[in-house]
């Protein structure tokens, strides 16, 4: 009993130390911050405050980070996956949560292959996501907007709304050898399995008529002859040369067409259902989610989409 009590005391002591570190002030505020979605609060780890703290604690880390980037802007990668702790055979999702991590494309392989190469950004339970309009897609969108805030650098907007961060335009300062160095980062990719990517980009599943939102013209579960025009090809008949891929600009034009049909008072229910089916996405009338709000300008879907090939090869998630 004494031994168990001692272990518990040590665990409580270490937990208290962790909380103190997370709440310690930096030029970018505390490491632990909170996103608000109505009445829902989602804590997250601020990368800017974390970089400052790590560089303050270790000059070697600051030198390593600068050496990785080589004077260029860093490519910020975001990874997410759902986690089911405990009994995987448990039929309900009561304990499921999303794990959102981040890394840099410039990290060397030996560093990216370690836990230190993928610091945590946010953990959010699926039961809480059910209470957030837009779900995990809106959480990802909010995390993009807070780290690449369009108001950053605008004194009047910041005076009205509070301090803002933008990793691309303002970057982050880190202490190094008695001075400060500024480094910048652009958002480059969302890495996830097929299920996670469809939830983030609010698209239909791989079993739908439009199995992939990265391409314009590939369909499944319907014959091309059943769709007006000659712009579609069934995936069973397509080769790599037949794929017509979206870029951010053409994808945005497609979204505007969907929005036009969905918001047109003259559109029938059938028309609204058909446009979402053919484009393979789900419309958000409230503008929530990564593709229907300001976060699309940062993410540039589908150019940021990156499939987790390990998951595709070794699990049943592959389409």
């Amino acid at each position: 009993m004494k031994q168990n009590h001692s272990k518990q005391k040590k665990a409580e002591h270490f937990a208290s130390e962790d909380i103190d570190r997370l709440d310690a002030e930096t030029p970018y505020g505390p490491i632990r911050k909170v996103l608000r979605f109505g009445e829902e609060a989602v804590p997250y780890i601020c990368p800017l405050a974390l970089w400052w703290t790590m560089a303050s604690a270790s000059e070697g880390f600051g030198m390593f980070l600068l050496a990785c980037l080589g004077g260029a802007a860093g490519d910020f990668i975001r990874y997410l996956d759902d986690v089911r702790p405990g009994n995987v055979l448990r039929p309900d999702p009561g304990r499921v949560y999303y794990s959102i991590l981040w890394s840099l494309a410039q990290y060397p392989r030996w560093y990216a292959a370690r836990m230190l190469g993928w610091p945590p950004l946010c953990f959010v339970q699926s039961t809480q996501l059910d209470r957030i309009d837009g779900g995990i897609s809106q959480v990802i969108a909010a995390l993009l907007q807070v780290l690449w805030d369009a108001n950053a650098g605008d004194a009047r907007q910041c005076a009205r709304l509070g301090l803002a961060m933008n990793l691309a335009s303002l970057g982050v300062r880190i202490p190094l050898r008695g001075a400060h160095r500024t480094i910048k980062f652009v958002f480059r990719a969302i890495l996830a399995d097929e299920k996670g990517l469809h939830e983030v980009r609010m698209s239909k599943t791989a079993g739908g008529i439009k199995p992939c939102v990265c391409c314009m013209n590939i369909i499944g579960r319907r014959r091309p002859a059943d769709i007006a025009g000659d712009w579609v090809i069934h995936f069973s008949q397509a080769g790599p040369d037949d794929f017509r891929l979206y870029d951010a600009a053409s994808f945005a034009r497609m979204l505007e067409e969907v929005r036009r049909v969905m918001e047109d008072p003259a559109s029938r229910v059938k028309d609204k259902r058909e446009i979402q089916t053919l484009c393979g996405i789900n419309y958000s009338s409230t503008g929530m989610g990564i593709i229907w709000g300001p976060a699309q300008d940062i993410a540039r879907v589908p150019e940021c989409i990156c499939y987790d090939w390990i998951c595709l090869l070794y699990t049943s998630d592959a389409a």
Side-chain angles (χ1 to χ4, degrees):
M1 291 291 291
K2 267 189 176 181
Q3 190 177 8
N4 290 339
H5 182 70
S6 175
K7 286 182 178 179
Q8 183 179 353
K9 283 291 185 182
K10 285 183 179 179
E12 290 175 356
H13 173 71
F14 288 136
S16 176
E17 283 191 346
D18 289 343
I19 291 173
D20 290 342
R21 290 192 182 97
L22 290 173
D23 292 338
E25 282 296 324
T26 74
Y28 300 99
I31 295 176
R32 179 175 58 178
K33 293 181 172 60
V34 176
L35 291 172
R36 298 284 178 181
F37 302 91
E39 297 181 357
E40 297 298 320
V42 176
Y44 74 98
I45 301 296
C46 175
L48 291 87
L50 183 62
W51 274 316
W52 173 274
T53 302
M54 294 175 72
S56 299
S58 169
E59 182 181 286
F61 173 78
M63 295 175 65
F64 167 73
L65 185 58
L66 289 173
C68 288
L69 300 180
D75 295 316
F76 196 96
I77 301 170
R78 189 167 292 177
Y79 172 82
L80 75 147
D81 199 5
D82 55 346
V83 182
R84 191 182 298 266
N87 184 4
V88 296
L89 299 178
R90 180 174 169 168
D92 66 275
R95 301 178 64 188
V96 174
Y97 68 92
Y98 262 98
S99 173
I100 306 173
L101 313 175
W102 64 269
S103 188
L104 300 179
Q106 287 85 354
Y107 279 154
R109 294 289 295 274
W110 63 266
Y111 189 78
R114 288 164 169 78
M115 187 168 62
L116 277 176
W118 293 90
L121 183 61
C122 177
F123 301 106
V124 56
Q125 286 189 296
S126 64
T127 51
Q128 187 177 27
L129 288 174
D130 293 338
R131 300 190 295 270
I132 296 175
D133 187 9
I136 188 62
S137 184
Q138 181 58 19
V139 172
I140 294 293
L143 287 168
L144 285 174
Q145 288 175 252
V146 78
L147 296 178
W148 286 273
D149 194 329
N151 295 316
D154 188 324
R156 287 182 297 178
Q157 287 285 61
C158 289
R160 183 172 64 89
L161 301 174
L163 293 177
M165 302 174 286
N166 191 310
L167 287 173
S169 60
L170 300 180
V172 57
R173 290 186 309 152
I174 61 170
L176 184 64
R177 294 180 174 178
H180 294 100
R181 300 290 296 271
T182 299
I183 50 180
K184 299 182 179 182
F185 302 89
V186 294
F187 181 72
R188 188 61 66 194
I190 297 175
L191 175 65
D193 60 12
E194 192 266 346
K195 175 179 176 291
L197 288 175
H198 278 295
E199 291 181 358
V200 167
R201 62 196 181 191
M202 305 178 75
S203 59
K204 306 294 185 182
T205 65
I209 292 172
K210 189 74 170 55
C212 173
V213 297
C214 293
C215 63
M216 300 182 189
N217 62 329
I218 305 300
I219 64 166
R221 300 191 62 180
R222 185 181 288 190
R223 295 180 306 169
D226 296 334
I227 298 175
D230 58 356
W231 60 278
V232 295
I233 301 174
H234 196 272
F235 69 84
S236 64
Q237 301 172 329
D241 294 337
D242 297 323
F243 281 71
R244 291 168 51 201
L245 299 178
Y246 282 117
D247 58 17
S250 56
F251 189 79
R253 290 194 294 271
M254 179 272 289
L255 292 178
E256 285 306 310
E257 177 62 17
V258 173
R259 193 193 307 272
R260 183 191 66 79
V261 173
M262 297 299 295
E263 296 180 357
D264 186 351
S267 295
R268 300 171 299 172
V269 173
K270 179 183 177 182
D271 297 330
K272 296 179 179 181
R273 185 172 59 248
E274 185 74 5
I275 190 71
Q276 292 180 89
T277 298
L278 288 180
C279 293
I281 59 171
N282 297 306
Y283 176 70
S284 170
S285 59
T286 56
M288 295 298 170
I290 196 171
I291 64 173
W292 297 113
Q296 167 62 2
D297 294 334
I298 304 168
R300 295 180 60 82
V301 176
E303 294 175 13
C304 68
I305 297 302
C306 186
Y307 282 87
D308 182 356
W309 65 270
I310 289 288
C311 202
L312 290 175
L313 287 177
Y314 296 110
T315 75
S316 58
D317 286 342

